[in-house]
Short mmCIF file of all heavy atoms in Angstrom, two decimals:
data_model
loop_
_atom_site.label_atom_id
_atom_site.label_comp_id
_atom_site.label_asym_id
_atom_site.label_seq_id
_atom_site.Cartn_x
_atom_site.Cartn_y
_atom_site.Cartn_z
N MET A 1115 -126.28 -128.44 83.38
CA MET A 1115 -125.31 -128.10 82.38
C MET A 1115 -125.11 -126.58 82.33
O MET A 1115 -125.73 -125.87 83.10
CB MET A 1115 -125.82 -128.63 81.04
CG MET A 1115 -124.83 -129.27 80.11
SD MET A 1115 -123.15 -129.81 80.41
CE MET A 1115 -123.00 -130.51 81.97
N ILE A 1116 -124.30 -126.11 81.43
CA ILE A 1116 -124.00 -124.69 81.33
C ILE A 1116 -124.30 -124.17 79.93
O ILE A 1116 -124.31 -124.92 78.97
CB ILE A 1116 -122.53 -124.39 81.69
CG1 ILE A 1116 -121.57 -125.10 80.73
CG2 ILE A 1116 -122.25 -124.76 83.13
CD1 ILE A 1116 -120.11 -124.73 80.90
N SER A 1117 -124.56 -122.88 79.87
CA SER A 1117 -124.85 -122.26 78.57
C SER A 1117 -123.57 -121.67 77.97
O SER A 1117 -122.56 -121.49 78.66
CB SER A 1117 -125.89 -121.15 78.75
OG SER A 1117 -125.33 -120.06 79.46
N GLY A 1118 -123.65 -121.34 76.70
CA GLY A 1118 -122.53 -120.69 76.03
C GLY A 1118 -122.20 -119.35 76.66
O GLY A 1118 -121.03 -118.97 76.78
N LYS A 1119 -123.24 -118.63 77.09
CA LYS A 1119 -123.02 -117.34 77.75
C LYS A 1119 -122.27 -117.52 79.06
O LYS A 1119 -121.39 -116.73 79.40
CB LYS A 1119 -124.36 -116.64 78.03
CG LYS A 1119 -125.02 -116.10 76.79
CD LYS A 1119 -126.32 -115.41 77.14
CE LYS A 1119 -126.99 -114.88 75.89
NZ LYS A 1119 -128.25 -114.20 76.19
N GLN A 1120 -122.63 -118.55 79.83
CA GLN A 1120 -121.93 -118.81 81.08
C GLN A 1120 -120.46 -119.16 80.83
O GLN A 1120 -119.58 -118.71 81.56
CB GLN A 1120 -122.61 -119.93 81.86
CG GLN A 1120 -123.90 -119.52 82.52
CD GLN A 1120 -124.59 -120.68 83.17
OE1 GLN A 1120 -124.93 -121.65 82.50
NE2 GLN A 1120 -124.79 -120.60 84.48
N LEU A 1121 -120.24 -119.96 79.82
CA LEU A 1121 -118.88 -120.36 79.49
C LEU A 1121 -118.02 -119.14 79.14
O LEU A 1121 -116.93 -118.97 79.68
CB LEU A 1121 -118.94 -121.34 78.30
CG LEU A 1121 -117.71 -122.17 78.00
CD1 LEU A 1121 -118.11 -123.34 77.13
CD2 LEU A 1121 -116.62 -121.38 77.37
N LYS A 1122 -118.55 -118.29 78.29
CA LYS A 1122 -117.81 -117.09 77.89
C LYS A 1122 -117.57 -116.16 79.08
O LYS A 1122 -116.49 -115.59 79.24
CB LYS A 1122 -118.56 -116.37 76.78
CG LYS A 1122 -117.76 -115.31 76.09
CD LYS A 1122 -118.47 -114.81 74.85
CE LYS A 1122 -117.58 -113.89 74.07
NZ LYS A 1122 -118.16 -113.52 72.78
N SER A 1123 -118.57 -116.02 79.93
CA SER A 1123 -118.44 -115.17 81.12
C SER A 1123 -117.41 -115.73 82.08
O SER A 1123 -116.64 -114.99 82.69
CB SER A 1123 -119.79 -115.03 81.82
OG SER A 1123 -120.71 -114.37 80.99
N ALA A 1124 -117.40 -117.05 82.23
CA ALA A 1124 -116.43 -117.68 83.12
C ALA A 1124 -115.01 -117.45 82.63
O ALA A 1124 -114.11 -117.15 83.42
CB ALA A 1124 -116.72 -119.18 83.22
N ARG A 1125 -114.81 -117.55 81.32
CA ARG A 1125 -113.49 -117.26 80.76
C ARG A 1125 -113.07 -115.84 81.05
O ARG A 1125 -111.91 -115.57 81.39
CB ARG A 1125 -113.50 -117.47 79.24
CG ARG A 1125 -113.01 -118.76 78.76
CD ARG A 1125 -112.67 -118.83 77.29
NE ARG A 1125 -113.42 -118.03 76.36
CZ ARG A 1125 -113.00 -116.89 75.83
NH1 ARG A 1125 -111.85 -116.36 76.20
NH2 ARG A 1125 -113.75 -116.23 74.95
N ALA A 1126 -114.02 -114.92 80.92
CA ALA A 1126 -113.72 -113.51 81.18
C ALA A 1126 -113.33 -113.29 82.64
O ALA A 1126 -112.40 -112.54 82.94
CB ALA A 1126 -114.91 -112.64 80.81
N LEU A 1127 -114.04 -113.95 83.55
CA LEU A 1127 -113.69 -113.83 84.97
C LEU A 1127 -112.28 -114.31 85.25
O LEU A 1127 -111.57 -113.74 86.08
CB LEU A 1127 -114.67 -114.64 85.83
CG LEU A 1127 -116.00 -114.01 86.18
CD1 LEU A 1127 -116.88 -115.01 86.92
CD2 LEU A 1127 -115.83 -112.76 87.01
N LEU A 1128 -111.89 -115.37 84.57
CA LEU A 1128 -110.56 -115.94 84.77
C LEU A 1128 -109.49 -115.26 83.93
O LEU A 1128 -108.30 -115.53 84.10
CB LEU A 1128 -110.58 -117.44 84.44
CG LEU A 1128 -111.43 -118.31 85.36
CD1 LEU A 1128 -111.51 -119.73 84.80
CD2 LEU A 1128 -110.86 -118.31 86.78
N ASN A 1129 -109.94 -114.40 83.01
CA ASN A 1129 -109.02 -113.70 82.12
C ASN A 1129 -108.15 -114.67 81.31
O ASN A 1129 -106.93 -114.54 81.25
CB ASN A 1129 -108.15 -112.71 82.90
CG ASN A 1129 -107.47 -111.71 81.98
OD1 ASN A 1129 -108.00 -111.35 80.94
ND2 ASN A 1129 -106.28 -111.27 82.37
N ILE A 1130 -108.83 -115.68 80.73
CA ILE A 1130 -108.12 -116.63 79.88
C ILE A 1130 -108.75 -116.64 78.49
O ILE A 1130 -109.94 -116.35 78.34
CB ILE A 1130 -108.10 -118.07 80.48
CG1 ILE A 1130 -109.52 -118.62 80.65
CG2 ILE A 1130 -107.33 -118.10 81.78
CD1 ILE A 1130 -109.57 -120.08 81.09
N SER A 1131 -107.96 -116.98 77.51
CA SER A 1131 -108.45 -117.03 76.13
C SER A 1131 -109.13 -118.36 75.86
O SER A 1131 -109.00 -119.32 76.64
CB SER A 1131 -107.28 -116.85 75.17
OG SER A 1131 -106.44 -117.99 75.23
N ALA A 1132 -109.84 -118.42 74.75
CA ALA A 1132 -110.45 -119.68 74.34
C ALA A 1132 -109.38 -120.73 74.09
O ALA A 1132 -109.57 -121.91 74.41
CB ALA A 1132 -111.31 -119.46 73.09
N ALA A 1133 -108.25 -120.32 73.56
CA ALA A 1133 -107.15 -121.25 73.33
C ALA A 1133 -106.61 -121.81 74.65
O ALA A 1133 -106.32 -123.01 74.76
CB ALA A 1133 -106.03 -120.56 72.55
N GLU A 1134 -106.48 -120.94 75.65
CA GLU A 1134 -106.02 -121.40 76.97
C GLU A 1134 -107.01 -122.37 77.58
O GLU A 1134 -106.61 -123.39 78.16
CB GLU A 1134 -105.79 -120.22 77.89
CG GLU A 1134 -104.59 -119.37 77.52
CD GLU A 1134 -104.50 -118.08 78.31
OE1 GLU A 1134 -105.51 -117.35 78.39
OE2 GLU A 1134 -103.41 -117.82 78.84
N LEU A 1135 -108.29 -122.07 77.45
CA LEU A 1135 -109.31 -122.97 77.99
C LEU A 1135 -109.29 -124.31 77.26
O LEU A 1135 -109.45 -125.35 77.89
CB LEU A 1135 -110.70 -122.33 77.91
CG LEU A 1135 -111.85 -123.19 78.42
CD1 LEU A 1135 -111.62 -123.67 79.86
CD2 LEU A 1135 -113.17 -122.44 78.31
N SER A 1136 -109.09 -124.27 75.96
CA SER A 1136 -109.06 -125.53 75.21
C SER A 1136 -107.91 -126.42 75.69
O SER A 1136 -108.07 -127.64 75.81
CB SER A 1136 -108.98 -125.28 73.71
OG SER A 1136 -107.72 -124.83 73.32
N GLU A 1137 -106.78 -125.82 76.00
CA GLU A 1137 -105.65 -126.59 76.54
C GLU A 1137 -105.97 -127.12 77.93
O GLU A 1137 -105.70 -128.28 78.23
CB GLU A 1137 -104.39 -125.73 76.61
CG GLU A 1137 -103.76 -125.47 75.26
CD GLU A 1137 -102.47 -124.67 75.38
OE1 GLU A 1137 -101.77 -124.80 76.41
OE2 GLU A 1137 -102.18 -123.92 74.44
N LEU A 1138 -106.54 -126.28 78.77
CA LEU A 1138 -106.87 -126.67 80.13
C LEU A 1138 -107.88 -127.82 80.14
O LEU A 1138 -107.75 -128.77 80.91
CB LEU A 1138 -107.44 -125.46 80.88
CG LEU A 1138 -107.83 -125.65 82.33
CD1 LEU A 1138 -106.61 -125.97 83.18
CD2 LEU A 1138 -108.52 -124.40 82.86
N ALA A 1139 -108.88 -127.74 79.26
CA ALA A 1139 -109.94 -128.76 79.22
C ALA A 1139 -109.62 -129.92 78.30
O ALA A 1139 -110.34 -130.91 78.28
CB ALA A 1139 -111.25 -128.11 78.77
N GLN A 1140 -108.55 -129.80 77.54
CA GLN A 1140 -108.14 -130.82 76.58
C GLN A 1140 -109.21 -131.10 75.54
O GLN A 1140 -109.57 -132.24 75.27
CB GLN A 1140 -107.70 -132.10 77.30
CG GLN A 1140 -106.50 -131.87 78.19
CD GLN A 1140 -106.04 -133.13 78.88
OE1 GLN A 1140 -106.73 -134.14 78.94
NE2 GLN A 1140 -104.85 -133.06 79.44
N VAL A 1141 -109.74 -130.00 74.97
CA VAL A 1141 -110.68 -130.08 73.85
C VAL A 1141 -110.19 -129.13 72.77
O VAL A 1141 -109.39 -128.23 73.04
CB VAL A 1141 -112.14 -129.74 74.26
CG1 VAL A 1141 -112.64 -130.68 75.34
CG2 VAL A 1141 -112.27 -128.30 74.70
N ASP A 1142 -110.66 -129.33 71.56
CA ASP A 1142 -110.23 -128.50 70.44
C ASP A 1142 -110.67 -127.04 70.63
O ASP A 1142 -111.76 -126.78 71.15
CB ASP A 1142 -110.83 -129.07 69.15
CG ASP A 1142 -110.23 -128.43 67.94
OD1 ASP A 1142 -109.11 -128.82 67.55
OD2 ASP A 1142 -110.87 -127.51 67.37
N HIS A 1143 -109.82 -126.12 70.18
CA HIS A 1143 -110.12 -124.69 70.27
C HIS A 1143 -111.44 -124.35 69.58
O HIS A 1143 -112.24 -123.55 70.06
CB HIS A 1143 -108.96 -123.89 69.67
CG HIS A 1143 -109.16 -122.43 69.66
ND1 HIS A 1143 -109.40 -121.73 68.51
CD2 HIS A 1143 -109.18 -121.52 70.67
CE1 HIS A 1143 -109.55 -120.45 68.81
NE2 HIS A 1143 -109.41 -120.29 70.10
N ARG A 1144 -111.68 -124.97 68.43
CA ARG A 1144 -112.93 -124.72 67.70
C ARG A 1144 -114.16 -125.17 68.48
O ARG A 1144 -115.24 -124.60 68.34
CB ARG A 1144 -112.90 -125.40 66.33
CG ARG A 1144 -111.90 -124.74 65.38
CD ARG A 1144 -111.75 -125.56 64.16
NE ARG A 1144 -111.10 -126.82 64.57
CZ ARG A 1144 -110.57 -127.70 63.76
NH1 ARG A 1144 -110.62 -127.53 62.47
NH2 ARG A 1144 -110.00 -128.79 64.21
N THR A 1145 -113.98 -126.17 69.32
CA THR A 1145 -115.09 -126.63 70.17
C THR A 1145 -115.48 -125.54 71.15
O THR A 1145 -116.67 -125.28 71.35
CB THR A 1145 -114.68 -127.92 70.92
OG1 THR A 1145 -114.38 -128.93 69.95
CG2 THR A 1145 -115.77 -128.40 71.84
N ILE A 1146 -114.51 -124.89 71.75
CA ILE A 1146 -114.79 -123.78 72.67
C ILE A 1146 -115.53 -122.68 71.93
O ILE A 1146 -116.55 -122.16 72.41
CB ILE A 1146 -113.49 -123.22 73.30
CG1 ILE A 1146 -112.72 -124.31 74.05
CG2 ILE A 1146 -113.80 -122.02 74.20
CD1 ILE A 1146 -113.40 -124.90 75.25
N GLN A 1147 -115.06 -122.32 70.76
CA GLN A 1147 -115.71 -121.28 69.97
C GLN A 1147 -117.15 -121.66 69.62
O GLN A 1147 -118.05 -120.84 69.70
CB GLN A 1147 -114.91 -121.01 68.69
CG GLN A 1147 -113.57 -120.38 68.96
CD GLN A 1147 -112.74 -120.25 67.70
OE1 GLN A 1147 -112.71 -121.14 66.86
NE2 GLN A 1147 -112.05 -119.12 67.58
N ARG A 1148 -117.35 -122.90 69.23
CA ARG A 1148 -118.70 -123.37 68.89
C ARG A 1148 -119.62 -123.34 70.12
O ARG A 1148 -120.76 -122.90 70.04
CB ARG A 1148 -118.62 -124.79 68.30
CG ARG A 1148 -119.92 -125.26 67.69
CD ARG A 1148 -119.81 -126.65 67.07
NE ARG A 1148 -119.65 -127.67 68.10
CZ ARG A 1148 -118.56 -128.38 68.32
NH1 ARG A 1148 -117.48 -128.19 67.59
NH2 ARG A 1148 -118.51 -129.29 69.27
N PHE A 1149 -119.11 -123.79 71.26
CA PHE A 1149 -119.90 -123.76 72.49
C PHE A 1149 -120.32 -122.34 72.83
O PHE A 1149 -121.47 -122.09 73.20
CB PHE A 1149 -119.13 -124.35 73.66
CG PHE A 1149 -119.00 -125.85 73.68
CD1 PHE A 1149 -118.11 -126.46 74.54
CD2 PHE A 1149 -119.74 -126.66 72.83
CE1 PHE A 1149 -117.98 -127.84 74.59
CE2 PHE A 1149 -119.62 -128.05 72.86
CZ PHE A 1149 -118.72 -128.63 73.74
N GLU A 1150 -119.40 -121.40 72.75
CA GLU A 1150 -119.69 -120.01 73.13
C GLU A 1150 -120.67 -119.35 72.17
O GLU A 1150 -121.43 -118.48 72.58
CB GLU A 1150 -118.40 -119.20 73.23
CG GLU A 1150 -117.56 -119.59 74.41
CD GLU A 1150 -116.32 -118.74 74.58
OE1 GLU A 1150 -116.03 -117.88 73.73
OE2 GLU A 1150 -115.61 -118.94 75.60
N ALA A 1151 -120.67 -119.76 70.93
CA ALA A 1151 -121.57 -119.16 69.94
C ALA A 1151 -122.97 -119.77 69.96
O ALA A 1151 -123.92 -119.19 69.43
CB ALA A 1151 -120.98 -119.32 68.55
N ALA A 1152 -123.11 -120.91 70.60
CA ALA A 1152 -124.40 -121.61 70.60
C ALA A 1152 -125.41 -120.91 71.50
O ALA A 1152 -125.07 -120.47 72.60
CB ALA A 1152 -124.21 -123.05 71.08
N PRO A 1153 -126.65 -120.80 71.04
CA PRO A 1153 -127.69 -120.27 71.93
C PRO A 1153 -128.07 -121.33 72.96
O PRO A 1153 -128.11 -122.52 72.65
CB PRO A 1153 -128.84 -119.99 70.97
CG PRO A 1153 -128.63 -120.94 69.83
CD PRO A 1153 -127.14 -121.14 69.73
N GLY A 1154 -128.27 -120.92 74.18
CA GLY A 1154 -128.67 -121.87 75.22
C GLY A 1154 -127.54 -122.82 75.57
O GLY A 1154 -126.37 -122.47 75.56
N ILE A 1155 -127.92 -124.06 75.86
CA ILE A 1155 -126.94 -125.09 76.22
C ILE A 1155 -126.40 -125.70 74.93
O ILE A 1155 -127.17 -126.22 74.13
CB ILE A 1155 -127.58 -126.17 77.11
CG1 ILE A 1155 -128.09 -125.54 78.41
CG2 ILE A 1155 -126.58 -127.29 77.40
CD1 ILE A 1155 -128.92 -126.44 79.27
N PRO A 1156 -125.09 -125.64 74.73
CA PRO A 1156 -124.53 -126.15 73.48
C PRO A 1156 -124.64 -127.66 73.39
O PRO A 1156 -124.46 -128.36 74.39
CB PRO A 1156 -123.06 -125.74 73.54
CG PRO A 1156 -122.88 -124.92 74.75
CD PRO A 1156 -124.09 -125.05 75.60
N PRO A 1157 -124.91 -128.17 72.19
CA PRO A 1157 -124.88 -129.63 72.03
C PRO A 1157 -123.45 -130.11 72.17
O PRO A 1157 -122.51 -129.44 71.73
CB PRO A 1157 -125.40 -129.84 70.60
CG PRO A 1157 -125.23 -128.54 69.91
CD PRO A 1157 -125.25 -127.47 70.97
N SER A 1158 -123.28 -131.24 72.82
CA SER A 1158 -121.93 -131.74 73.09
C SER A 1158 -121.86 -133.24 72.86
O SER A 1158 -122.74 -133.99 73.28
CB SER A 1158 -121.54 -131.43 74.54
OG SER A 1158 -120.30 -132.01 74.87
N ARG A 1159 -120.79 -133.64 72.21
CA ARG A 1159 -120.50 -135.05 72.02
C ARG A 1159 -119.26 -135.38 72.84
O ARG A 1159 -118.46 -134.51 73.15
CB ARG A 1159 -120.25 -135.36 70.56
CG ARG A 1159 -121.43 -135.10 69.66
CD ARG A 1159 -121.11 -135.47 68.23
NE ARG A 1159 -120.06 -134.62 67.67
CZ ARG A 1159 -120.27 -133.55 66.92
NH1 ARG A 1159 -121.49 -133.17 66.65
NH2 ARG A 1159 -119.26 -132.85 66.46
N SER A 1160 -119.13 -136.62 73.18
CA SER A 1160 -117.91 -137.11 73.82
C SER A 1160 -117.62 -136.47 75.17
O SER A 1160 -116.49 -136.48 75.62
CB SER A 1160 -116.69 -136.91 72.91
OG SER A 1160 -116.91 -137.49 71.66
N GLY A 1161 -118.62 -135.87 75.79
CA GLY A 1161 -118.41 -135.27 77.10
C GLY A 1161 -117.58 -134.01 77.09
O GLY A 1161 -117.06 -133.61 78.14
N ASN A 1162 -117.44 -133.35 75.94
CA ASN A 1162 -116.59 -132.16 75.88
C ASN A 1162 -117.10 -131.01 76.72
O ASN A 1162 -116.31 -130.31 77.36
CB ASN A 1162 -116.40 -131.72 74.43
CG ASN A 1162 -115.45 -132.60 73.68
OD1 ASN A 1162 -114.61 -133.28 74.27
ND2 ASN A 1162 -115.56 -132.61 72.37
N LEU A 1163 -118.41 -130.81 76.77
CA LEU A 1163 -118.94 -129.72 77.59
C LEU A 1163 -118.67 -129.98 79.07
O LEU A 1163 -118.34 -129.07 79.82
CB LEU A 1163 -120.43 -129.52 77.33
CG LEU A 1163 -121.07 -128.27 77.94
CD1 LEU A 1163 -120.36 -126.99 77.47
CD2 LEU A 1163 -122.55 -128.21 77.58
N GLU A 1164 -118.77 -131.23 79.47
CA GLU A 1164 -118.47 -131.59 80.86
C GLU A 1164 -116.99 -131.35 81.18
O GLU A 1164 -116.66 -130.90 82.27
CB GLU A 1164 -118.83 -133.05 81.12
CG GLU A 1164 -120.32 -133.31 81.15
CD GLU A 1164 -120.94 -133.51 79.76
OE1 GLU A 1164 -120.19 -133.51 78.74
OE2 GLU A 1164 -122.17 -133.63 79.68
N LYS A 1165 -116.11 -131.63 80.21
CA LYS A 1165 -114.67 -131.37 80.41
C LYS A 1165 -114.40 -129.88 80.59
O LYS A 1165 -113.62 -129.48 81.46
CB LYS A 1165 -113.87 -131.88 79.22
CG LYS A 1165 -113.79 -133.37 79.09
CD LYS A 1165 -113.01 -133.72 77.83
CE LYS A 1165 -113.01 -135.20 77.55
NZ LYS A 1165 -112.30 -135.51 76.28
N VAL A 1166 -115.06 -129.07 79.78
CA VAL A 1166 -114.88 -127.62 79.86
C VAL A 1166 -115.41 -127.11 81.19
O VAL A 1166 -114.75 -126.32 81.88
CB VAL A 1166 -115.57 -126.92 78.67
CG1 VAL A 1166 -115.58 -125.42 78.85
CG2 VAL A 1166 -114.89 -127.31 77.36
N LYS A 1167 -116.58 -127.57 81.58
CA LYS A 1167 -117.18 -127.16 82.85
C LYS A 1167 -116.25 -127.53 84.02
O LYS A 1167 -115.99 -126.71 84.91
CB LYS A 1167 -118.55 -127.81 83.03
CG LYS A 1167 -119.28 -127.40 84.29
CD LYS A 1167 -120.67 -128.04 84.31
CE LYS A 1167 -121.47 -127.56 85.49
NZ LYS A 1167 -121.34 -128.41 86.66
N ALA A 1168 -115.75 -128.76 84.01
CA ALA A 1168 -114.85 -129.21 85.09
C ALA A 1168 -113.57 -128.39 85.13
O ALA A 1168 -113.07 -128.05 86.22
CB ALA A 1168 -114.54 -130.69 84.91
N ALA A 1169 -113.03 -128.05 83.96
CA ALA A 1169 -111.80 -127.25 83.92
C ALA A 1169 -112.04 -125.87 84.52
O ALA A 1169 -111.20 -125.36 85.29
CB ALA A 1169 -111.32 -127.12 82.48
N LEU A 1170 -113.16 -125.26 84.21
CA LEU A 1170 -113.47 -123.94 84.76
C LEU A 1170 -113.73 -124.02 86.26
O LEU A 1170 -113.26 -123.17 87.03
CB LEU A 1170 -114.67 -123.33 84.04
CG LEU A 1170 -114.41 -122.96 82.57
CD1 LEU A 1170 -115.72 -122.69 81.85
CD2 LEU A 1170 -113.49 -121.74 82.49
N GLU A 1171 -114.42 -125.05 86.69
CA GLU A 1171 -114.68 -125.22 88.12
C GLU A 1171 -113.39 -125.46 88.89
O GLU A 1171 -113.26 -125.02 90.04
CB GLU A 1171 -115.67 -126.37 88.34
CG GLU A 1171 -117.07 -126.02 87.91
CD GLU A 1171 -118.04 -127.19 87.96
OE1 GLU A 1171 -117.61 -128.36 87.86
OE2 GLU A 1171 -119.25 -126.91 88.07
N SER A 1172 -112.42 -126.12 88.27
CA SER A 1172 -111.14 -126.37 88.95
C SER A 1172 -110.38 -125.07 89.20
O SER A 1172 -109.51 -125.01 90.07
CB SER A 1172 -110.27 -127.32 88.13
OG SER A 1172 -109.69 -126.67 87.00
N ARG A 1173 -110.74 -124.03 88.44
CA ARG A 1173 -110.12 -122.71 88.61
C ARG A 1173 -110.92 -121.80 89.53
O ARG A 1173 -110.60 -120.63 89.69
CB ARG A 1173 -109.95 -122.03 87.26
CG ARG A 1173 -108.94 -122.70 86.35
CD ARG A 1173 -107.53 -122.37 86.83
NE ARG A 1173 -106.51 -122.92 85.98
CZ ARG A 1173 -105.85 -122.26 85.05
NH1 ARG A 1173 -106.13 -121.00 84.82
NH2 ARG A 1173 -104.92 -122.85 84.35
N GLY A 1174 -112.02 -122.33 90.11
CA GLY A 1174 -112.79 -121.55 91.08
C GLY A 1174 -114.09 -120.97 90.58
O GLY A 1174 -114.75 -120.22 91.29
N VAL A 1175 -114.49 -121.31 89.35
CA VAL A 1175 -115.75 -120.80 88.81
C VAL A 1175 -116.90 -121.65 89.34
O VAL A 1175 -116.82 -122.87 89.37
CB VAL A 1175 -115.74 -120.82 87.27
CG1 VAL A 1175 -117.11 -120.50 86.70
CG2 VAL A 1175 -114.70 -119.85 86.74
N VAL A 1176 -117.97 -120.98 89.74
CA VAL A 1176 -119.20 -121.65 90.15
C VAL A 1176 -120.29 -121.17 89.20
O VAL A 1176 -120.46 -119.97 89.00
CB VAL A 1176 -119.58 -121.30 91.61
CG1 VAL A 1176 -120.91 -121.93 91.99
CG2 VAL A 1176 -118.48 -121.74 92.57
N PHE A 1177 -121.01 -122.12 88.64
CA PHE A 1177 -122.11 -121.80 87.74
C PHE A 1177 -123.39 -121.72 88.56
O PHE A 1177 -123.72 -122.66 89.29
CB PHE A 1177 -122.21 -122.84 86.63
CG PHE A 1177 -120.99 -122.84 85.76
CD1 PHE A 1177 -119.94 -123.71 85.99
CD2 PHE A 1177 -120.86 -121.93 84.73
CE1 PHE A 1177 -118.80 -123.70 85.21
CE2 PHE A 1177 -119.73 -121.89 83.93
CZ PHE A 1177 -118.70 -122.78 84.18
N ILE A 1178 -124.08 -120.58 88.46
CA ILE A 1178 -125.27 -120.36 89.27
C ILE A 1178 -126.46 -120.04 88.36
O ILE A 1178 -126.28 -119.65 87.21
CB ILE A 1178 -125.05 -119.22 90.29
CG1 ILE A 1178 -124.62 -117.93 89.59
CG2 ILE A 1178 -124.01 -119.64 91.33
CD1 ILE A 1178 -124.44 -116.74 90.52
N GLY A 1179 -127.63 -120.21 88.90
CA GLY A 1179 -128.84 -119.90 88.15
C GLY A 1179 -129.16 -120.96 87.12
O GLY A 1179 -128.45 -121.94 86.94
N ASP A 1180 -130.25 -120.75 86.46
CA ASP A 1180 -130.68 -121.63 85.38
C ASP A 1180 -129.92 -121.24 84.12
O ASP A 1180 -129.90 -120.06 83.76
CB ASP A 1180 -132.19 -121.47 85.17
CG ASP A 1180 -132.70 -122.31 84.05
OD1 ASP A 1180 -132.72 -121.83 82.90
OD2 ASP A 1180 -133.09 -123.47 84.32
N PRO A 1181 -129.31 -122.20 83.42
CA PRO A 1181 -128.49 -121.84 82.26
C PRO A 1181 -129.27 -121.17 81.13
O PRO A 1181 -128.68 -120.47 80.31
CB PRO A 1181 -127.88 -123.15 81.80
CG PRO A 1181 -128.65 -124.22 82.46
CD PRO A 1181 -129.29 -123.63 83.66
N ILE A 1182 -130.56 -121.34 81.10
CA ILE A 1182 -131.37 -120.75 80.04
C ILE A 1182 -132.01 -119.44 80.48
O ILE A 1182 -131.92 -118.42 79.81
CB ILE A 1182 -132.47 -121.73 79.57
CG1 ILE A 1182 -131.85 -123.05 79.08
CG2 ILE A 1182 -133.34 -121.09 78.48
CD1 ILE A 1182 -130.91 -122.90 77.91
N HIS A 1183 -132.67 -119.45 81.63
CA HIS A 1183 -133.48 -118.30 82.05
C HIS A 1183 -132.74 -117.29 82.93
O HIS A 1183 -133.08 -116.11 82.92
CB HIS A 1183 -134.73 -118.79 82.76
CG HIS A 1183 -135.57 -119.69 81.90
ND1 HIS A 1183 -136.23 -119.25 80.79
CD2 HIS A 1183 -135.80 -121.02 81.96
CE1 HIS A 1183 -136.85 -120.25 80.21
NE2 HIS A 1183 -136.59 -121.35 80.89
N SER A 1184 -131.78 -117.74 83.70
CA SER A 1184 -131.04 -116.80 84.55
C SER A 1184 -129.59 -117.29 84.73
O SER A 1184 -129.18 -117.61 85.83
CB SER A 1184 -131.72 -116.66 85.91
OG SER A 1184 -131.80 -117.92 86.56
N PRO A 1185 -128.83 -117.33 83.63
CA PRO A 1185 -127.46 -117.86 83.72
C PRO A 1185 -126.54 -116.92 84.50
O PRO A 1185 -126.66 -115.70 84.39
CB PRO A 1185 -127.03 -117.95 82.25
CG PRO A 1185 -127.85 -116.93 81.54
CD PRO A 1185 -129.17 -116.87 82.29
N GLY A 1186 -125.69 -117.53 85.29
CA GLY A 1186 -124.74 -116.73 86.04
C GLY A 1186 -123.46 -117.51 86.34
O GLY A 1186 -123.42 -118.74 86.24
N VAL A 1187 -122.43 -116.77 86.67
CA VAL A 1187 -121.16 -117.36 87.09
C VAL A 1187 -120.62 -116.55 88.25
O VAL A 1187 -120.91 -115.37 88.40
CB VAL A 1187 -120.11 -117.39 85.95
CG1 VAL A 1187 -120.52 -118.34 84.85
CG2 VAL A 1187 -119.85 -116.03 85.39
N GLN A 1188 -119.84 -117.22 89.07
CA GLN A 1188 -119.23 -116.57 90.23
C GLN A 1188 -117.83 -117.13 90.39
O GLN A 1188 -117.60 -118.32 90.15
CB GLN A 1188 -120.08 -116.87 91.47
CG GLN A 1188 -119.64 -116.23 92.73
CD GLN A 1188 -120.61 -116.53 93.87
OE1 GLN A 1188 -121.44 -117.43 93.77
NE2 GLN A 1188 -120.47 -115.80 94.93
N LEU A 1189 -116.90 -116.30 90.78
CA LEU A 1189 -115.53 -116.75 91.03
C LEU A 1189 -115.33 -116.85 92.52
O LEU A 1189 -115.48 -115.85 93.25
CB LEU A 1189 -114.54 -115.76 90.40
CG LEU A 1189 -113.08 -116.16 90.41
CD1 LEU A 1189 -112.86 -117.48 89.68
CD2 LEU A 1189 -112.24 -115.07 89.77
N THR A 1190 -114.98 -118.04 92.99
CA THR A 1190 -114.83 -118.24 94.43
C THR A 1190 -113.39 -118.14 94.90
O THR A 1190 -113.14 -118.00 96.08
CB THR A 1190 -115.41 -119.60 94.86
OG1 THR A 1190 -114.71 -120.64 94.18
CG2 THR A 1190 -116.88 -119.68 94.55
N LYS A 1191 -112.45 -118.30 93.99
CA LYS A 1191 -111.04 -118.16 94.35
C LYS A 1191 -110.28 -117.62 93.16
O LYS A 1191 -110.69 -117.79 92.01
CB LYS A 1191 -110.46 -119.50 94.80
CG LYS A 1191 -110.42 -120.57 93.72
CD LYS A 1191 -109.84 -121.86 94.25
CE LYS A 1191 -109.85 -122.92 93.13
NZ LYS A 1191 -109.30 -124.17 93.58
N VAL A 1192 -109.20 -116.97 93.42
CA VAL A 1192 -108.36 -116.43 92.35
C VAL A 1192 -107.07 -117.23 92.32
O VAL A 1192 -106.40 -117.36 93.33
CB VAL A 1192 -108.07 -114.92 92.60
CG1 VAL A 1192 -107.17 -114.39 91.51
CG2 VAL A 1192 -109.36 -114.14 92.67
N ASN A 1193 -106.75 -117.75 91.15
CA ASN A 1193 -105.50 -118.54 91.00
C ASN A 1193 -104.36 -117.66 90.60
O ASN A 1193 -104.44 -116.71 89.96
CB ASN A 1193 -105.69 -119.64 89.96
CG ASN A 1193 -106.57 -120.76 90.48
OD1 ASN A 1193 -106.74 -120.94 91.67
ND2 ASN A 1193 -107.13 -121.52 89.56
#
């Protein structure tokens, strides 16, 4: 899974807002905000964190490292 820090960093790499990510992932904007504010791996219901992760990966983001001890993100392509 991914951490809130990774999620926020991935958004920054893609230069998209939380609102844009919520549209892309088809989850509520407040869900994105809650995920980013959560320490460690955010709790998720209904597969929302998986939807967000998949949306970011579809834009070329790769999540690297351990989400708790060494979280990282990498951009493999620019859209």
Side-chain angles (χ1 to χ4, degrees):
M1115 221 13 38
I1116 61 173
S1117 69
K1119 288 181 181 180
Q1120 285 175 300
L1121 196 162
K1122 192 169 188 173
S1123 296
R1125 263 196 328 101
L1127 278 175
L1128 294 172
N1129 196 31
I1130 61 174
S1131 68
E1134 290 171 310
L1135 178 56
S1136 73
E1137 286 183 31
L1138 181 65
Q1140 298 181 345
V1141 301
D1142 191 80
H1143 178 252
R1144 291 171 293 193
T1145 299
I1146 302 296
Q1147 292 174 320
R1148 190 178 70 249
F1149 285 168
E1150 289 184 355
I1155 299 171
S1158 174
R1159 297 181 295 263
S1160 306
N1162 285 337
L1163 190 57
E1164 289 83 3
K1165 289 178 186 177
V1166 171
K1167 183 177 185 267
L1170 292 166
E1171 289 173 334
S1172 75
R1173 293 285 183 99
V1175 171
V1176 176
F1177 296 95
I1178 57 177
D1180 178 270
I1182 302 299
H1183 302 292
S1184 59
V1187 293
Q1188 183 177 14
L1189 187 59
T1190 60
K1191 64 180 179 180
V1192 178
N1193 287 339

